[in-house]
Amino acid sequence: MSAEKLEKKKTLDLRKKHIGPSCKIFFSHDPIKIVHAKGQYMYNEKGERYLDCINNVAHVGHCHPDVVKAGAQQMEQLNTNTRFLHDNLVVYAQRLQATLPDKLSVCYFVNSGSEANDLALRLAWQYTGHKDIVTLENAYHGHVSSLIDISPYKFHQLSDYEHNQSVHVAPSPDVYRGKYRADHPDPAAAYAHEVKEIIDRVHGKGGKIAAFIAESLQSCGGQVIPPAGYFQQVAKHVREAGGVVISDEVQVGFGRVGSHFWAFQLQGEDFVPDIVTMGKPIGNGHPMSCVVTTKEVAEAFMLSGMEYFNTFGGNPVSCAIGLAVLDVIVKEDLQGNALRTGQYLTQLLEKQKEKHPLVGDIRGCGLFVGMELVKDRLKLTPATAEAQEVIYKLKEQRILLSADGPHRNVLKFKPPLCFNEEDADLVVEQIDCILTEIEAALGLNAENGSSKRKVPAAKNGHQYHSGSAHNGGRSQGLTEQSKRLKT
Amino acid sequence: MSAEKLEKKKTLDLRKKHIGPSCKIFFSHDPIKIVHAKGQYMYNEKGERYLDCINNVAHVGHCHPDVVKAGAQQMEQLNTNTRFLHDNLVVYAQRLQATLPDKLSVCYFVNSGSEANDLALRLAWQYTGHKDIVTLENAYHGHVSSLIDISPYKFHQLSDYEHNQSVHVAPSPDVYRGKYRADHPDPAAAYAHEVKEIIDRVHGKGGKIAAFIAESLQSCGGQVIPPAGYFQQVAKHVREAGGVVISDEVQVGFGRVGSHFWAFQLQGEDFVPDIVTMGKPIGNGHPMSCVVTTKEVAEAFMLSGMEYFNTFGGNPVSCAIGLAVLDVIVKEDLQGNALRTGQYLTQLLEKQKEKHPLVGDIRGCGLFVGMELVKDRLKLTPATAEAQEVIYKLKEQRILLSADGPHRNVLKFKPPLCFNEEDADLVVEQIDCILTEIEAALGLNAENGSSKRKVPAAKNGHQYHSGSAHNGGRSQGLTEQSKRLKT
């Protein structure tokens, strides 16, 4: 079935009947039926084009012909498990390894970010012999039961959730809205110290730390970019306690941040996690993912005596597709495009911030950008309803964007990496119109720019976003290339 | 990459360097490199053909052209998540539902059997509000951490495993080697009563049963076929305690058992599980799987307030592939072939049992067949080393078979469903030769058939396997078609 076979109403009726009602649909009052897609564009059953600003899975562009071809050719040849030798598996592992620091050299191929993060926990438990996990506020690491336990983003949705006593939640290193902000002299050290305090409390109760896990940049948590040096200092505390550091790159890896291939590399070469998990973009939509770790962790896992077998993980088709994705990223310089277009988009959005009092913060790296809407720049009152209105009105203009974060007031940009300046112009122009309308209705003065707006700029807010201060000191240890991205 | 690019030694070296050492390889002293496959045959880098008797994932045959075409065509059109409406998702859900009892009407699409079983536990916990799980001895339900806890097959491999206090292990309903055997007047009731006793003990300690989970036929556990009526009686006990019954069809579903599409249906129409999980064969190797449950369970899960989102699960490519697999099963009458060829294979193996004292038991349904090797038919001493020798010698003849069960002495047949009588002749002929050699070396008399063999037939053994008694009363409630399968 390659295109529409059923009337949209029939599709919807069957969905209500046969698909779990917990599986939500975008714009549930008037959902979108998509029948094909190409690059950064998706098309509904009437052939109408939508600009996709949110799909970080279709990383090299929807239905990229090189990826499709690699998958189709390998499907014709062989698709079996890794108990047989196959070149695709080892060549792909070698290619992935080459993007990482040397010590991250051993791969486990699995089928989803959730499988990857669950395996990362198993590796950490086995290697350390410890049990306790430190995770971040608003974190999301996947949907299997072990990951709900370490995902406040999920378990806070449950009224009757029984908190796992081995899981400890540290403050999100959010220098805009979090506990320590851009006006703090050293937010990285302060946030890392919070982790240290948790470790001390765990030790006080006789527990032992197995791992600290965090997305390199929090995505569902609200496009949060930790201050530079944060992970280095956390790693020091965690390793001193005998634990390991897991960097979750499921949302943000594979060149999205522009200046680097992996988002954890934004922190500088002196930070190397013990375990890295990958997912979403890795196969451009094909169900696959990977955990990479050190030889020491892998050997400890083997010494448990338990085989690790994953039926589909690392099959020749998944590896062929993974290789094609890596090839396209290089061939089309998509990491470079993420850097350039991300910078262009961020500049456009910064201008919106100057113009619209509802815009509280613009933050991002490459094509991972957040625009946080607030009703009051001093109190940071989340403009949740307004963010939803922007999303809905953009949908009417056939632009797909979403809002996330604990208050659902952060507009999230994470488009396919072929997203271009024209696309950026289009979406920002529409956002400008929509914000103008909303602000007019609210009686906010959006006409005369920031200097005359009724709502005052927060003391810390503006400082934080101007030039290098934007990074809360993050520029230390970054390459010149990535510094350029921030300015 | 569609064929061999590297020398075999180079492939092996890279594998050692970059793939987790817990990921085991078949025949590790001399592994097989497979470069392509078709139907029930796999080919190494020299073009030598292997007969595949074990790959229940390549269900409709390796690289089936209809499945490859469906996947390739859909990959060109669209591959995105289920937050958009798509016909493939709902049509596929409807088609799957049509194979199941009416009350199993709501689907959740995920990426692997492990994701499916973990979600099944989450559904059970949420629906019942209870925590305790009853699983079977030797059970294997997947590799994520929640499933290691309910998989004695896995956690028994760990020296330092900390048993989950909410998990309770009931005896495997194995009428050959288990606690109650074919000579027991009512093994189904006796094994079900063991579950009842566990439930009572859990209640005595203040616990409450969320679910009983079992493969419809234990696979890794040793190709175990429970006596008829077992699941009905277990379900009665479990439901009286407020729990649900999860049937794991990951290994055995989709027509493999020949007489029915789902293996739980072997027990009769009066047994309907509350949750069914699917996996391996569902996409002929494509990473996908499914959980199907009742409207009541699905609604309770929704009322928890937590969205269920699975990035890749239910994408249009997976659904197109799943639909193509269902089409091929019908078009090529593969369920019928499983019945006929399974019967033929079982008859050939029964003759081997008459001839070879090492053969303790032949059991199976369709193309899911076990041949248990024992050194002594009375004591049932597992012939573990001999089973390994059979496997290794078959490999030299380019026939792929494996041994499993708690003693690794059960030869497991679970080939692609296009397996034919000629294939059955070939593998059984080779097994005959190998067993003859092994028995000669052991000094067992294999020449004169069962009546004169030195090792006596167990009292229960022979009765159990002749005609309808083979089923331990299982024929009640089965269709005529399935009764024929057993004789």
Short mmCIF file of all heavy atoms in Angstrom, two decimals, chain A residues 1 5 11 15 18 22 26 32-33 74 82-83 85 87-88 107 112 115 118 122 143 145 154 280 307-308 311, chain B residues 1 5 11 15 18 22 26 32-33 74 82-83 87-88 107 112 115 118 122 143 145 154 280 307-308 311:
data_model
loop_
_atom_site.label_atom_id
_atom_site.label_comp_id
_atom_site.label_asym_id
_atom_site.label_seq_id
_atom_site.Cartn_x
_atom_site.Cartn_y
_atom_site.Cartn_z
N MET A 1 0.85 -1.19 0.00
CA MET A 1 0.00 0.00 0.00
C MET A 1 0.88 1.23 0.00
O MET A 1 1.56 1.52 0.97
CB MET A 1 -0.87 0.03 1.26
CG MET A 1 -1.80 -1.14 1.34
SD MET A 1 -3.33 -0.71 2.12
CE MET A 1 -2.80 0.52 3.24
N LYS A 5 -5.78 4.62 0.50
CA LYS A 5 -6.73 3.60 0.06
C LYS A 5 -8.10 3.87 0.66
O LYS A 5 -9.11 3.45 0.13
CB LYS A 5 -6.27 2.21 0.53
CG LYS A 5 -5.01 1.70 -0.15
CD LYS A 5 -5.33 0.88 -1.39
CE LYS A 5 -4.10 0.62 -2.23
NZ LYS A 5 -3.43 -0.63 -1.95
N THR A 11 -10.26 5.86 7.93
CA THR A 11 -8.96 5.65 8.59
C THR A 11 -9.06 5.98 10.08
O THR A 11 -8.60 5.23 10.94
CB THR A 11 -7.88 6.54 7.95
OG1 THR A 11 -7.93 6.38 6.53
CG2 THR A 11 -6.49 6.19 8.43
N ARG A 15 -8.80 3.49 13.26
CA ARG A 15 -7.77 3.79 14.27
C ARG A 15 -8.39 3.78 15.67
O ARG A 15 -7.82 3.21 16.60
CB ARG A 15 -7.12 5.14 13.95
CG ARG A 15 -6.10 5.52 15.00
CD ARG A 15 -5.05 6.47 14.51
NE ARG A 15 -4.22 6.84 15.65
CZ ARG A 15 -2.92 7.02 15.63
NH1 ARG A 15 -2.26 6.90 14.49
NH2 ARG A 15 -2.25 7.35 16.71
N HIS A 18 -9.01 0.04 16.60
CA HIS A 18 -7.96 -0.97 16.67
C HIS A 18 -6.60 -0.50 17.20
O HIS A 18 -5.69 -1.32 17.33
CB HIS A 18 -7.74 -1.61 15.29
CG HIS A 18 -8.89 -2.45 14.85
ND1 HIS A 18 -9.38 -3.49 15.62
CD2 HIS A 18 -9.65 -2.43 13.72
CE1 HIS A 18 -10.39 -4.05 14.97
NE2 HIS A 18 -10.58 -3.43 13.84
N SER A 22 -3.96 5.19 24.04
CA SER A 22 -2.84 5.92 24.64
C SER A 22 -1.88 6.43 23.57
O SER A 22 -0.98 7.21 23.86
CB SER A 22 -2.03 5.02 25.58
OG SER A 22 -2.86 4.40 26.50
N PHE A 26 -1.23 13.75 16.41
CA PHE A 26 -1.09 15.21 16.34
C PHE A 26 -2.43 15.83 15.96
O PHE A 26 -3.12 15.32 15.07
CB PHE A 26 -0.10 15.61 15.23
CG PHE A 26 1.35 15.46 15.59
CD1 PHE A 26 2.23 14.84 14.70
CD2 PHE A 26 1.86 15.94 16.79
CE1 PHE A 26 3.58 14.71 15.01
CE2 PHE A 26 3.22 15.81 17.09
CZ PHE A 26 4.07 15.19 16.20
N ILE A 32 -3.87 14.98 10.73
CA ILE A 32 -3.31 15.07 9.39
C ILE A 32 -3.06 13.66 8.87
O ILE A 32 -2.51 12.82 9.57
CB ILE A 32 -1.98 15.85 9.41
CG1 ILE A 32 -2.19 17.24 10.00
CG2 ILE A 32 -1.38 15.93 8.01
CD1 ILE A 32 -0.89 17.99 10.26
N LYS A 33 -3.48 13.43 7.64
CA LYS A 33 -3.16 12.16 6.99
C LYS A 33 -2.05 12.43 5.99
O LYS A 33 -2.20 13.24 5.08
CB LYS A 33 -4.41 11.64 6.28
CG LYS A 33 -4.23 10.25 5.69
CD LYS A 33 -5.57 9.70 5.24
CE LYS A 33 -5.40 8.28 4.76
NZ LYS A 33 -6.71 7.69 4.38
N GLN A 74 19.72 -4.53 0.17
CA GLN A 74 20.12 -5.52 1.18
C GLN A 74 18.96 -6.45 1.54
O GLN A 74 19.18 -7.63 1.80
CB GLN A 74 20.67 -4.82 2.42
CG GLN A 74 21.26 -5.77 3.45
CD GLN A 74 22.37 -6.67 2.89
OE1 GLN A 74 23.32 -6.19 2.29
NE2 GLN A 74 22.22 -7.99 3.05
N THR A 82 22.74 -11.69 14.03
CA THR A 82 24.19 -11.49 14.14
C THR A 82 24.92 -12.73 14.65
O THR A 82 26.10 -12.64 15.00
CB THR A 82 24.50 -10.31 15.08
OG1 THR A 82 23.91 -10.58 16.35
CG2 THR A 82 23.97 -9.01 14.52
N ARG A 83 24.25 -13.87 14.67
CA ARG A 83 24.96 -15.10 15.04
C ARG A 83 25.76 -15.65 13.86
O ARG A 83 26.53 -16.60 13.99
CB ARG A 83 23.99 -16.15 15.58
CG ARG A 83 23.58 -15.83 17.01
CD ARG A 83 22.60 -16.83 17.56
NE ARG A 83 22.35 -16.62 18.96
CZ ARG A 83 21.20 -16.87 19.57
NH1 ARG A 83 20.18 -17.33 18.87
NH2 ARG A 83 21.07 -16.66 20.85
N LEU A 85 28.44 -14.37 10.73
CA LEU A 85 29.31 -13.24 10.36
C LEU A 85 28.70 -12.48 9.19
O LEU A 85 28.18 -13.11 8.25
CB LEU A 85 30.69 -13.75 9.94
CG LEU A 85 31.61 -14.32 11.01
CD1 LEU A 85 32.92 -14.79 10.37
CD2 LEU A 85 31.90 -13.26 12.09
N ASP A 87 29.63 -8.71 6.81
CA ASP A 87 30.48 -7.51 6.67
C ASP A 87 29.76 -6.24 7.08
O ASP A 87 30.38 -5.33 7.66
CB ASP A 87 30.97 -7.38 5.22
CG ASP A 87 31.98 -8.47 4.88
OD1 ASP A 87 32.54 -9.09 5.81
OD2 ASP A 87 32.21 -8.70 3.67
N ASN A 88 28.47 -6.13 6.75
CA ASN A 88 27.78 -4.87 7.07
C ASN A 88 27.90 -4.54 8.56
O ASN A 88 28.09 -3.38 8.93
CB ASN A 88 26.29 -4.97 6.71
CG ASN A 88 26.04 -4.94 5.22
OD1 ASN A 88 26.99 -5.08 4.44
ND2 ASN A 88 24.79 -4.80 4.81
N CYS A 107 30.36 -1.86 20.21
CA CYS A 107 28.97 -1.58 19.86
C CYS A 107 28.05 -2.75 20.20
O CYS A 107 28.43 -3.91 20.08
CB CYS A 107 28.83 -1.35 18.35
SG CYS A 107 29.84 -0.03 17.71
N SER A 112 15.78 0.18 19.09
CA SER A 112 15.13 1.46 19.41
C SER A 112 15.94 2.16 20.50
O SER A 112 16.73 1.52 21.20
CB SER A 112 13.71 1.20 19.94
OG SER A 112 13.77 0.51 21.18
N GLU A 115 15.40 0.38 23.75
CA GLU A 115 16.24 -0.80 23.96
C GLU A 115 17.67 -0.39 24.27
O GLU A 115 18.35 -1.02 25.08
CB GLU A 115 16.22 -1.71 22.72
CG GLU A 115 14.94 -2.50 22.57
CD GLU A 115 15.06 -3.64 21.56
OE1 GLU A 115 16.14 -3.81 20.94
OE2 GLU A 115 14.07 -4.36 21.40
N ASP A 118 17.86 0.96 27.92
CA ASP A 118 17.72 -0.15 28.88
C ASP A 118 19.01 -0.95 28.93
O ASP A 118 19.48 -1.32 30.02
CB ASP A 118 16.54 -1.05 28.49
CG ASP A 118 16.35 -2.18 29.49
OD1 ASP A 118 15.64 -1.98 30.48
OD2 ASP A 118 16.95 -3.27 29.29
N ARG A 122 21.72 -1.79 32.01
CA ARG A 122 22.21 -3.14 32.33
C ARG A 122 23.74 -3.16 32.34
O ARG A 122 24.35 -3.79 33.21
CB ARG A 122 21.67 -4.16 31.32
CG ARG A 122 20.16 -4.42 31.48
CD ARG A 122 19.71 -5.55 30.54
NE ARG A 122 20.45 -6.77 30.82
CZ ARG A 122 20.60 -7.79 29.97
NH1 ARG A 122 20.04 -7.73 28.76
NH2 ARG A 122 21.29 -8.85 30.30
N HIS A 143 10.37 4.26 26.67
CA HIS A 143 9.04 3.82 27.08
C HIS A 143 9.00 2.46 27.76
O HIS A 143 7.94 2.02 28.17
CB HIS A 143 8.10 3.84 25.88
CG HIS A 143 8.64 3.07 24.72
ND1 HIS A 143 8.73 1.69 24.74
CD2 HIS A 143 9.16 3.46 23.54
CE1 HIS A 143 9.27 1.29 23.61
NE2 HIS A 143 9.55 2.34 22.86
N SER A 145 9.65 -0.25 30.82
CA SER A 145 9.36 0.03 32.23
C SER A 145 10.57 0.55 33.00
O SER A 145 10.43 1.45 33.83
CB SER A 145 8.75 -1.19 32.91
OG SER A 145 9.47 -2.35 32.59
N LYS A 154 7.89 11.32 32.01
CA LYS A 154 6.82 10.33 31.90
C LYS A 154 6.15 10.07 33.25
O LYS A 154 4.94 10.12 33.36
CB LYS A 154 7.36 9.00 31.35
CG LYS A 154 7.87 9.06 29.93
CD LYS A 154 6.82 9.45 28.93
CE LYS A 154 5.97 8.29 28.45
NZ LYS A 154 5.08 8.69 27.33
N LYS A 280 16.82 7.44 17.18
CA LYS A 280 16.00 8.07 16.14
C LYS A 280 16.66 8.29 14.76
O LYS A 280 16.29 7.62 13.81
CB LYS A 280 15.42 9.37 16.66
CG LYS A 280 14.47 9.18 17.85
CD LYS A 280 13.87 10.50 18.29
CE LYS A 280 13.08 10.37 19.57
NZ LYS A 280 11.80 9.64 19.42
N GLU A 307 24.60 -14.36 27.86
CA GLU A 307 24.66 -13.94 26.46
C GLU A 307 23.76 -12.74 26.24
O GLU A 307 22.74 -12.59 26.91
CB GLU A 307 24.17 -15.11 25.58
CG GLU A 307 24.18 -14.78 24.09
CD GLU A 307 23.55 -15.85 23.21
OE1 GLU A 307 23.18 -16.93 23.73
OE2 GLU A 307 23.43 -15.60 22.00
N TYR A 308 24.15 -11.87 25.32
CA TYR A 308 23.22 -10.83 24.87
C TYR A 308 22.84 -11.13 23.43
O TYR A 308 23.69 -11.08 22.53
CB TYR A 308 23.81 -9.42 24.96
CG TYR A 308 22.78 -8.40 24.56
CD1 TYR A 308 21.78 -8.03 25.44
CD2 TYR A 308 22.74 -7.88 23.27
CE1 TYR A 308 20.77 -7.15 25.07
CE2 TYR A 308 21.74 -7.00 22.90
CZ TYR A 308 20.76 -6.64 23.79
OH TYR A 308 19.76 -5.79 23.42
N THR A 311 17.29 -10.27 18.50
CA THR A 311 16.85 -10.92 17.26
C THR A 311 17.11 -10.08 16.01
O THR A 311 17.66 -10.56 15.02
CB THR A 311 15.34 -11.24 17.34
OG1 THR A 311 15.13 -12.12 18.43
CG2 THR A 311 14.85 -11.89 16.06
N MET B 1 26.02 -2.24 0.68
CA MET B 1 26.85 -3.44 0.62
C MET B 1 25.97 -4.68 0.50
O MET B 1 25.24 -5.03 1.40
CB MET B 1 27.64 -3.55 1.92
CG MET B 1 28.56 -2.37 2.14
SD MET B 1 30.07 -2.86 2.93
CE MET B 1 29.47 -4.16 3.94
N LYS B 5 32.65 -8.15 1.19
CA LYS B 5 33.62 -7.12 0.87
C LYS B 5 34.95 -7.44 1.52
O LYS B 5 35.98 -6.99 1.07
CB LYS B 5 33.15 -5.76 1.40
CG LYS B 5 31.91 -5.21 0.71
CD LYS B 5 32.28 -4.30 -0.44
CE LYS B 5 31.11 -3.98 -1.33
NZ LYS B 5 30.45 -2.73 -1.01
N THR B 11 36.69 -9.89 8.75
CA THR B 11 35.35 -9.72 9.35
C THR B 11 35.38 -10.14 10.81
O THR B 11 34.86 -9.44 11.69
CB THR B 11 34.32 -10.57 8.59
OG1 THR B 11 34.45 -10.33 7.19
CG2 THR B 11 32.91 -10.25 9.02
N ARG B 15 34.93 -7.88 14.11
CA ARG B 15 33.85 -8.23 15.05
C ARG B 15 34.38 -8.30 16.48
O ARG B 15 33.76 -7.78 17.41
CB ARG B 15 33.21 -9.55 14.62
CG ARG B 15 32.13 -9.98 15.58
CD ARG B 15 31.13 -10.93 14.99
NE ARG B 15 30.24 -11.35 16.04
CZ ARG B 15 28.94 -11.55 15.93
NH1 ARG B 15 28.37 -11.36 14.76
NH2 ARG B 15 28.21 -11.93 16.94
N HIS B 18 34.95 -4.65 17.67
CA HIS B 18 33.89 -3.63 17.76
C HIS B 18 32.51 -4.12 18.17
O HIS B 18 31.59 -3.31 18.29
CB HIS B 18 33.76 -2.90 16.41
CG HIS B 18 34.92 -2.04 16.08
ND1 HIS B 18 35.38 -1.06 16.96
CD2 HIS B 18 35.74 -1.98 15.00
CE1 HIS B 18 36.42 -0.45 16.40
NE2 HIS B 18 36.66 -0.99 15.22
N SER B 22 29.50 -10.25 24.49
CA SER B 22 28.34 -11.02 24.96
C SER B 22 27.45 -11.45 23.81
O SER B 22 26.53 -12.25 24.01
CB SER B 22 27.49 -10.16 25.91
OG SER B 22 28.27 -9.60 26.92
N PHE B 26 27.21 -18.28 16.20
CA PHE B 26 27.08 -19.73 16.01
C PHE B 26 28.45 -20.33 15.67
O PHE B 26 29.19 -19.76 14.85
CB PHE B 26 26.16 -20.05 14.82
CG PHE B 26 24.69 -19.92 15.10
CD1 PHE B 26 23.87 -19.25 14.21
CD2 PHE B 26 24.12 -20.48 16.24
CE1 PHE B 26 22.51 -19.13 14.45
CE2 PHE B 26 22.76 -20.36 16.48
CZ PHE B 26 21.95 -19.69 15.59
N ILE B 32 30.18 -19.16 10.61
CA ILE B 32 29.70 -19.15 9.23
C ILE B 32 29.47 -17.71 8.79
O ILE B 32 28.89 -16.91 9.52
CB ILE B 32 28.36 -19.93 9.14
CG1 ILE B 32 28.54 -21.36 9.65
CG2 ILE B 32 27.83 -19.92 7.71
CD1 ILE B 32 27.23 -22.12 9.80
N LYS B 33 29.94 -17.41 7.61
CA LYS B 33 29.67 -16.10 7.03
C LYS B 33 28.61 -16.29 5.96
O LYS B 33 28.82 -17.03 4.99
CB LYS B 33 30.96 -15.54 6.42
CG LYS B 33 30.81 -14.13 5.89
CD LYS B 33 32.18 -13.55 5.56
CE LYS B 33 32.06 -12.10 5.13
NZ LYS B 33 33.38 -11.50 4.88
N GLN B 74 7.20 1.03 -0.01
CA GLN B 74 6.74 1.95 1.04
C GLN B 74 7.88 2.85 1.52
O GLN B 74 7.65 4.02 1.85
CB GLN B 74 6.10 1.18 2.19
CG GLN B 74 5.48 2.07 3.25
CD GLN B 74 4.40 3.00 2.70
OE1 GLN B 74 3.48 2.57 2.04
NE2 GLN B 74 4.55 4.30 2.93
N THR B 82 3.37 7.29 14.09
CA THR B 82 1.91 7.10 14.10
C THR B 82 1.15 8.30 14.65
O THR B 82 -0.04 8.19 14.93
CB THR B 82 1.55 5.86 14.94
OG1 THR B 82 2.06 6.04 16.26
CG2 THR B 82 2.13 4.60 14.33
N ARG B 83 1.82 9.44 14.78
CA ARG B 83 1.08 10.64 15.18
C ARG B 83 0.35 11.26 14.00
O ARG B 83 -0.42 12.20 14.15
CB ARG B 83 2.02 11.65 15.84
CG ARG B 83 2.35 11.24 17.27
CD ARG B 83 3.32 12.20 17.90
NE ARG B 83 3.47 11.90 19.32
CZ ARG B 83 4.58 12.10 20.02
NH1 ARG B 83 5.63 12.60 19.43
NH2 ARG B 83 4.64 11.82 21.29
N ASP B 87 -3.09 4.79 6.32
CA ASP B 87 -3.92 3.61 6.06
C ASP B 87 -3.23 2.30 6.42
O ASP B 87 -3.88 1.37 6.90
CB ASP B 87 -4.34 3.57 4.58
CG ASP B 87 -5.33 4.68 4.25
OD1 ASP B 87 -5.93 5.23 5.20
OD2 ASP B 87 -5.50 4.99 3.06
N ASN B 88 -1.93 2.21 6.16
CA ASN B 88 -1.24 0.93 6.44
C ASN B 88 -1.44 0.50 7.89
O ASN B 88 -1.66 -0.67 8.18
CB ASN B 88 0.27 1.05 6.17
CG ASN B 88 0.58 1.12 4.70
OD1 ASN B 88 -0.31 1.29 3.87
ND2 ASN B 88 1.86 1.01 4.36
N CYS B 107 -4.57 -2.90 19.21
CA CYS B 107 -3.15 -3.17 18.91
C CYS B 107 -2.25 -2.02 19.39
O CYS B 107 -2.64 -0.85 19.32
CB CYS B 107 -2.93 -3.29 17.41
SG CYS B 107 -3.91 -4.57 16.62
N SER B 112 10.07 -4.92 18.76
CA SER B 112 10.70 -6.20 19.05
C SER B 112 9.84 -6.97 20.03
O SER B 112 8.99 -6.38 20.73
CB SER B 112 12.08 -5.98 19.66
OG SER B 112 11.95 -5.39 20.95
N GLU B 115 10.19 -5.40 23.42
CA GLU B 115 9.34 -4.24 23.66
C GLU B 115 7.88 -4.67 23.87
O GLU B 115 7.16 -4.09 24.68
CB GLU B 115 9.43 -3.26 22.48
CG GLU B 115 10.70 -2.45 22.46
CD GLU B 115 10.64 -1.25 21.51
OE1 GLU B 115 9.58 -1.03 20.85
OE2 GLU B 115 11.63 -0.53 21.43
N ASP B 118 7.50 -6.24 27.41
CA ASP B 118 7.58 -5.21 28.44
C ASP B 118 6.28 -4.39 28.48
O ASP B 118 5.75 -4.11 29.56
CB ASP B 118 8.78 -4.27 28.19
CG ASP B 118 8.90 -3.21 29.27
OD1 ASP B 118 9.56 -3.48 30.29
OD2 ASP B 118 8.31 -2.12 29.12
N ARG B 122 3.41 -3.75 31.43
CA ARG B 122 2.90 -2.42 31.81
C ARG B 122 1.37 -2.39 31.74
O ARG B 122 0.70 -1.81 32.60
CB ARG B 122 3.49 -1.33 30.92
CG ARG B 122 4.99 -1.09 31.15
CD ARG B 122 5.50 0.10 30.32
NE ARG B 122 4.74 1.30 30.64
CZ ARG B 122 4.64 2.36 29.86
NH1 ARG B 122 5.28 2.38 28.69
NH2 ARG B 122 3.93 3.41 30.21
N HIS B 143 15.04 -9.46 26.37
CA HIS B 143 16.35 -9.05 26.89
C HIS B 143 16.34 -7.73 27.63
O HIS B 143 17.38 -7.30 28.13
CB HIS B 143 17.36 -9.00 25.75
CG HIS B 143 16.89 -8.16 24.61
ND1 HIS B 143 16.78 -6.80 24.70
CD2 HIS B 143 16.46 -8.49 23.36
CE1 HIS B 143 16.32 -6.32 23.56
NE2 HIS B 143 16.11 -7.31 22.73
N SER B 145 15.52 -5.23 30.83
CA SER B 145 15.73 -5.60 32.24
C SER B 145 14.48 -6.17 32.91
O SER B 145 14.57 -7.12 33.68
CB SER B 145 16.30 -4.41 33.02
OG SER B 145 15.59 -3.23 32.74
N LYS B 154 17.21 -16.86 31.41
CA LYS B 154 18.29 -15.87 31.42
C LYS B 154 18.88 -15.69 32.82
O LYS B 154 20.09 -15.74 32.99
CB LYS B 154 17.77 -14.51 30.92
CG LYS B 154 17.36 -14.47 29.48
CD LYS B 154 18.47 -14.79 28.52
CE LYS B 154 19.34 -13.62 28.16
NZ LYS B 154 20.29 -13.97 27.07
N LYS B 280 9.16 -12.02 16.34
CA LYS B 280 10.04 -12.57 15.32
C LYS B 280 9.46 -12.71 13.89
O LYS B 280 9.90 -11.99 13.00
CB LYS B 280 10.57 -13.92 15.79
CG LYS B 280 11.45 -13.81 17.03
CD LYS B 280 12.02 -15.15 17.41
CE LYS B 280 12.75 -15.11 18.74
NZ LYS B 280 14.02 -14.39 18.72
N GLU B 307 0.73 9.07 27.96
CA GLU B 307 0.75 8.76 26.53
C GLU B 307 1.66 7.56 26.28
O GLU B 307 2.65 7.37 27.00
CB GLU B 307 1.30 9.97 25.77
CG GLU B 307 1.37 9.73 24.25
CD GLU B 307 2.03 10.86 23.47
OE1 GLU B 307 2.40 11.89 24.08
OE2 GLU B 307 2.18 10.70 22.25
N TYR B 308 1.33 6.75 25.27
CA TYR B 308 2.28 5.74 24.82
C TYR B 308 2.75 6.13 23.41
O TYR B 308 1.96 6.14 22.48
CB TYR B 308 1.67 4.33 24.79
CG TYR B 308 2.73 3.32 24.36
CD1 TYR B 308 3.69 2.91 25.29
CD2 TYR B 308 2.84 2.87 23.06
CE1 TYR B 308 4.72 2.06 24.91
CE2 TYR B 308 3.86 2.02 22.68
CZ TYR B 308 4.79 1.61 23.61
OH TYR B 308 5.82 0.78 23.23
N THR B 311 8.58 5.58 18.76
CA THR B 311 9.07 6.31 17.60
C THR B 311 8.89 5.55 16.28
O THR B 311 8.39 6.09 15.30
CB THR B 311 10.58 6.63 17.77
OG1 THR B 311 10.74 7.42 18.93
CG2 THR B 311 11.14 7.36 16.56
#
